[in-house]
Amino acid sequence: MASEAASIGSIVEVHGPVVVVACDALPPLRRALTATVEGDTCVFEVHQHLDETHVRAIALHRTSGLRRGMPVFDTGAPLHVPVSPACLGRLVNIFGEPLDGKDALPAGEFRNVHGTPVALSDTVGLTGILETGIKVIDLLCPFVRGGKTGLFGGAGVGKTVLVMEFMHAVVALHKGVSVFAGVGERIREGHELWHDLQAAGVMDKALLVFGEMDESPGVRFRVGMTALSYAEYLRDTLHSEVLFLMDNVFRFVQAGSEISSLLGRMPATVGYQPTLGTEVAEMEERITSTRAGAVTSVQAVYVPADDMTDPAVTAIFSHLDTTVTLSRGQAAKGFYPAVDPLRSGSKLMDRHFLGDRHYDIAEGVREHLARYHELEDIITMLGVEELSQADRRTVMRARKLQRYLTQPFYSTAQHTGMEGVTVPLSRTLSDCDDFLTGKHDDTEESACYMRGTMEGAA
């Protein structure tokens, strides 16, 4: 790359990942520059113009080996990645270079990672529910086709398993593809996800893009953009459902905060960068659907100190249509997926979007579970016998609904020995309606646990 580019100046300062370059002619912001270090190419991205001859750039590689006076070359373009239908089934980095030990992607076509959002006239609105076949998701916090979903959960509650099941659902039910962006992922987590997807048989319809935790903040800040570029390419060329997954959006914000501090900007609220809202919106607003295809996103969100009023969380929240909260309490009881039905929901849970039947059944289920939650302390202290007959009936039905909303997954079949199941939304609604109207009052609780539909339940 460096040998084909024009030399525009030399390095005058190196401060960690920040490099100051003296230029003969100022390159535009976001231009990719390069330098050669011991035979390897180091890429920088221009972030600031300091004066008429100096720019401040963020290195996208480790800066060891860089020194003053080293020549810098202009690539003539922003950071771009090779795109091709052959990208499916691959594991790549921010530059589109392979991390799976296979051959490089064909370099026939490139896409700018800073692609502009689709024109308003070319976008399409939310067109309905994207069924996942997961009962609790489709019933209480449905995915919106072309919408954005936030997935909240700590370590060990099944977040990665749920992500894999979403990928499986898009492939199996909608014949679509998945793009996963690992932002600041631990290398161990990325390795496990890669092999688990292969074992689940969905890797050939997925693309994994990783910027690991030990990478430059510039990489962690831009790797989501690279993954989005691939998602947009697949949407435009395959004309199919594209599921875009990001883990973790908060690490993207953290990387932006780190870069802001390195560039000398004055911090804003709670120490975050003053450009927080703009940076989040720039990424989120690119997740759009067109007449060619739909991009539906699932974003894992870390909540610092469980403070939902944190500026970063608030900025992300404003773009989400659906929130799915995973509960450690649910997992401890053996209820998988460990979705907390009372803390999860969607902005589009209304009659006009879902229809009267779905809305009424979902509210009925939520009402039963909420009443059971209110009565749990009384039951613990006095026993269920002290409740009124109506409350006992509500508790009995709520306990069965809790167990019915569990489900064996395809992605865990090799570990649990239980074959995964997919339940159509229409059947989930029918079964839940039967619970609410008392048709399963004589059914044993154990018969409702970890199954698909209630057909044939004793």
Side-chain angles (χ1 to χ4, degrees):
M1 180 185 291
S3 61
E4 299 175 0
S7 174
I8 62 164
S10 60
I11 295 173
V12 293
E13 294 181 26
V14 179
H15 301 283
V18 178
V19 178
V20 178
V21 182
C23 303
D24 303 324
L26 287 181
L29 295 177
R30 295 186 172 178
R31 177 63 59 86
L33 310 178
T34 64
T36 303
V37 183
E38 298 175 356
D40 295 325
T41 300
C42 182
V43 181
F44 318 116
E45 186 178 53
V46 177
H47 277 258
Q48 275 184 342
H49 288 173
L50 299 179
D51 54 36
E52 294 86 346
T53 58
H54 292 81
V55 299
R56 186 175 278 151
I58 298 293
L60 301 181
H61 291 86
R62 290 180 175 84
T63 53
S64 56
L66 291 181
R67 64 182 184 277
R68 287 181 176 180
M70 185 174 283
V72 174
F73 302 88
D74 187 354
T75 64
L79 183 65
H80 54 273
V81 293
V83 292
S84 159
C87 65
L88 289 174
R90 300 300 302 273
L91 179 67
V92 300
N93 64 9
I94 186 177
F95 307 106
E97 298 168 347
L99 296 174
D100 51 13
K102 299 179 182 178
D103 294 336
L105 295 178
E109 183 182 349
F110 289 87
R111 283 218 173 191
N112 179 1
V113 301
H114 301 292
T116 55
V118 177
L120 190 61
S121 58
D122 296 330
T123 62
V124 295
L126 305 177
T127 56
I129 292 176
L130 183 72
E131 288 193 31
T132 64
I134 302 172
K135 293 179 287 188
V136 65
I137 299 286
D138 290 343
L139 177 67
L140 298 176
C141 41
F143 280 16
V144 182
R145 187 174 186 267
K148 305 177 183 71
T149 299
L151 181 61
F152 302 83
V157 294
K159 184 171 56 180
T160 302
V161 170
L162 205 51
V163 164
M164 288 193 295
E165 200 68 13
F166 293 152
M167 289 182 169
H168 183 278
V170 166
V171 172
L173 299 181
H174 305 285
K175 309 305 179 187
V177 297
S178 303
V179 178
F180 180 89
V183 183
E185 281 281 284
R186 299 176 184 88
I187 293 177
R188 171 189 59 79
E189 292 176 338
H191 186 269
E192 289 177 356
L193 177 63
W194 179 35
H195 285 280
D196 286 344
L197 289 177
Q198 289 176 321
V202 297
M203 187 63 207
D204 61 334
K205 291 293 184 180
L207 168 67
L208 307 185
V209 186
F210 281 110
E212 290 97 340
M213 189 175 283
D214 64 333
E215 297 276 9
S216 157
V219 170
R220 288 180 272 120
F221 189 52
R222 295 303 190 202
V223 67
M225 298 295 193
T226 294
L228 259 176
S229 298
Y230 280 109
E232 291 167 342
Y233 169 77
L234 294 171
R235 174 197 67 196
D236 297 339
T237 57
L238 299 183
H239 308 295
S240 66
E241 295 285 348
V242 179
L243 181 66
F244 176 71
L245 306 109
M246 180 178 286
D247 187 6
N248 187 301
V249 186
F250 185 76
R251 293 187 192 132
F252 160 76
V253 173
Q254 279 184 315
S257 179
E258 193 173 337
I259 287 176
S260 183
S261 298
L262 290 167
L263 296 177
R265 296 190 188 122
M266 184 71 71
T269 312
V270 199
Y272 285 110
Q273 61 269 43
T275 53
L276 170 64
T278 301
E279 290 170 359
V280 172
E282 182 182 8
M283 183 186 67
E284 296 283 359
E285 290 307 303
R286 281 181 60 188
I287 306 173
T288 54
S289 301
T290 67
R291 297 178 185 86
V295 177
T296 304
S297 79
V298 178
Q299 307 167 24
V301 183
Y302 167 71
V303 182
D306 293 329
D307 180 12
M308 300 300 287
T309 64
D310 185 88
V313 177
T314 303
I316 297 166
F317 246 83
S318 63
H319 295 275
L320 300 178
D321 302 306
T322 303
T323 58
V324 178
T325 303
L326 300 181
S327 163
R328 199 169 299 281
Q330 291 284 97
K333 295 175 184 176
F335 295 155
Y336 290 102
V339 176
D340 188 328
L342 301 180
R343 295 171 61 198
S344 304
S346 172
K347 293 178 181 176
L348 297 166
M349 285 288 289
D350 61 57
R351 295 181 185 276
H352 302 291
F353 189 78
L354 298 180
D356 288 338
R357 184 166 185 261
H358 186 167
Y359 180 83
D360 290 337
I361 291 174
E363 288 301 296
V365 170
R366 203 184 298 273
E367 184 180 337
H368 276 65
L369 295 175
R371 183 59 179 161
Y372 177 39
H373 182 68
E374 292 172 0
L375 296 171
E376 276 186 314
D377 288 341
I378 296 176
I379 295 172
T380 301
M381 292 185 291
L382 302 177
V384 71
E385 295 80 10
E386 298 302 315
L387 300 179
S388 67
Q389 184 174 355
D391 280 342
R392 281 203 300 272
R393 184 169 60 247
T394 298
V395 168
M396 174 189 67
R397 291 176 181 174
R399 288 176 59 87
K400 291 176 182 176
L401 281 167
Q402 276 186 329
R403 286 153 178 79
Y404 171 73
L405 292 177
T406 61
Q407 186 171 337
F409 281 168
Y410 291 96
S411 54
T412 59
Q414 59 180 336
H415 304 295
T416 63
M418 302 173 67
E419 186 177 353
V421 294
T422 295
V423 182
L425 174 59
S426 58
R427 191 54 200 261
T428 300
L429 294 176
S430 298
D431 285 345
C432 288
D433 192 30
D434 290 344
F435 279 110
L436 296 175
T437 55
K439 293 184 179 178
H440 290 297
D441 283 356
D442 296 328
T443 303
E444 292 290 332
E445 287 182 3
S446 58
C448 306
Y449 180 69
M450 277 295 174
R451 62 180 301 138
T453 67
M454 289 301 294
E455 185 177 1

